[in-house]
Amino acid sequence: MTAPAPPPASPETPASGAASGPADGTFRPAATPAAVWRRARGVLLALAVLATAGIVLAALDPGGRHGRLDPRSADPSGTRAVAALLRDRGVSTRIVTTADAAASAAGPGTTLLVARPDLLGPRARGTIRSAADLSGGRIVLLAPGSTALRDLAPSVHTAGASRTDTPAPGCALPAARTAGRADTGGGLRYTTTGAGAAACYPDGGRPTLLVLPSGTAGGDTVVAGSAAFLLNEDLAREGNASLALHLLGSRPELVWYLPSPAELRDGAGGDTALTDLIPAGWHWALLQLLVAAVLAALWRARRLGPLVTERLPVAIRASEATEGRARLYRRADARERAATVLRAAARERLAPLVGVPRSACHDPAVLVPAVSARAAGPDRDAAALLFGLPPASDAALVALADHLDALEREVRSS
């Protein structure tokens, strides 16, 4: 017995091996390699440009740049020059990035410089304070704020900002008298209750440099309101170099403590955010990039003008559009929205039939009396039909549509 032949493939059921389209029947051609390349070439080109720029920048600057107050940095805000002068005088400079390493390196023959004391958290400040009390060496704090001073130098308090960049020594400290005027101003001023403290470079009666003896014999703590006298760009001005050499070169070894971002992430960070470690120039660069991005977005953004009617590429029957919209309402269970659309359309059609202006067609106080006077059906509640509650079921929605049609026919035939 011969098996029946398979039925021919219909438009609704594609033949075996044919590319099946989406469920709505719309044909969409498969993307060709050329089309995929055209779409992706812009992204690939941008990635290639970024990679090339990164390689070029890495080749031009192979790790030779460092941050502010870094003794390895030759930038204007670096301190390589003072490190070189100290090396010529037999003082070795050692860089540490953690509070534990700084405390371990501190001793009678060392000067421990804390470059950014405000970046330290409570644990790190306590570690440095213990080293200052027990080491018998010198601790130099550069521009510490009130929070850092509370742990590192409790007898010192801030007294506002300095208004003079290069004040006179104004004290009997040999290092200050030898150096003369120096760039210790432009930062913070201090007051102290510590006995035997040398208060130098006053501005408005408040010193910008303090030298306080510590509890251990031979040890002391230096509090400088500004670090400008150490920077490469200012070292040759006034008596900056002399003051720097006297303050940092009194011991044979200088331990330069630069808190690292990794240490701050591990919980040593204090009152200052990690963004404070970013050089100031980068903030301006990021701002310029942001402005450029906004301008580019405004330039390439779509201009929204008045609505323009366009001819559709294909003709769509009104019944098909209505059925499609109805299916969407049913899928979303939007009976209230469907009822609102039906009632609004009925009111707009009834208003000219009963002599109501279009501007008042949605006012029940105006439209309902006019329609009731023209409706011939018995027990016809025009207010409930045109302005009533939303239907509670699909059957009630269908009944509402039928009643609205009947009401419109009655008004037209009256």
Side-chain angles (χ1 to χ4, degrees):
M1 185 175 188
T2 305
S10 63
E12 291 77 7
T13 306
S16 175
S20 60
D24 58 1
T26 305
F27 174 74
R28 295 186 178 91
T32 62
V36 174
W37 165 248
R38 285 195 298 270
R39 296 171 186 170
R41 61 185 178 184
V43 177
L44 295 177
L45 179 60
L47 293 176
V49 170
L50 290 176
T52 304
I55 294 173
V56 171
L57 291 176
L60 293 178
D61 186 13
R65 296 179 65 87
H66 302 280
R68 174 179 167 83
L69 294 174
D70 195 313
R72 298 164 296 186
S73 174
D75 294 342
S77 60
T79 54
R80 181 188 290 183
V82 69
L85 292 177
L86 290 169
R87 184 175 60 250
D88 293 341
R89 284 158 177 77
V91 178
S92 62
T93 301
R94 174 185 171 189
I95 299 174
V96 297
T97 57
T98 65
D100 293 334
S104 299
T110 62
T111 298
L112 174 59
L113 183 144
V114 183
R116 306 290 294 274
D118 286 340
L119 289 178
L120 304 180
R123 186 191 65 81
R125 292 197 298 265
T127 302
I128 298 299
R129 173 64 187 278
S130 298
D133 292 339
L134 302 176
S135 66
R138 168 169 285 182
I139 308 292
V140 179
L141 307 175
L142 296 181
S146 58
T147 302
L149 289 173
R150 187 164 54 245
D151 292 331
L152 298 176
S155 62
V156 180
H157 306 279
T158 58
S162 173
R163 297 180 294 272
T164 304
D165 291 337
T166 56
C171 69
L173 186 69
R177 294 179 64 86
T178 302
R181 289 184 176 272
D183 285 329
T184 61
L188 294 174
R189 300 181 301 166
Y190 301 102
T191 60
T192 181
T193 58
C200 301
Y201 295 99
D203 179 7
R206 305 296 186 183
T208 58
L209 180 72
L210 289 171
V211 180
L212 303 97
S214 64
T216 305
D220 57 15
T221 300
V222 177
V223 178
S226 172
F229 69 98
L230 298 176
L231 302 181
N232 294 332
E233 60 182 347
D234 297 322
L235 190 63
R237 294 181 53 199
E238 300 290 348
N240 292 344
S242 175
L243 181 63
L245 292 177
H246 280 89
L247 293 180
L248 304 184
S250 61
R251 272 77 171 173
E253 184 179 4
L254 172 62
V255 179
W256 203 294
Y257 175 32
L258 294 171
S260 66
E263 183 184 24
L264 299 178
R265 286 195 298 268
D266 288 340
D271 304 320
T272 306
L274 287 175
T275 54
D276 291 341
L277 295 174
I278 302 175
W282 284 98
H283 293 90
W284 290 108
L286 292 176
L287 179 60
Q288 292 175 17
L289 289 176
L290 178 61
V291 172
V294 172
L295 293 178
L298 294 176
W299 170 51
R300 298 297 297 173
R302 183 183 297 275
R303 270 62 173 177
L304 299 178
L307 295 177
V308 179
T309 58
E310 297 181 359
R311 296 185 61 184
L312 295 175
V314 294
I316 301 177
R317 296 177 181 175
S319 59
E320 294 180 0
T322 302
E323 291 177 1
R325 189 174 183 181
R327 291 192 187 98
L328 292 176
Y329 281 148
R330 183 174 184 179
R331 182 180 302 174
D333 199 19
R335 286 188 296 271
E336 182 176 356
R337 173 61 180 168
T340 301
V341 173
L342 290 174
R343 283 167 167 157
R347 291 194 296 265
E348 291 176 357
R349 292 192 300 268
L350 289 171
L353 298 178
V354 296
V356 174
R358 182 174 293 273
S359 59
C361 68
H362 301 297
D363 186 357
V366 177
L367 183 63
V368 170
V371 172
S372 299
R374 299 282 296 273
D379 300 329
R380 183 74 68 188
D381 189 355
L385 289 176
L386 297 175
F387 299 95
L389 298 175
S393 63
D394 291 345
L397 179 62
V398 174
L400 174 64
D402 293 340
H403 289 313
L404 289 174
D405 289 340
L407 177 63
E408 186 176 349
R409 286 195 301 270
E410 293 173 4
V411 172
R412 289 182 183 274
S413 61
S414 62

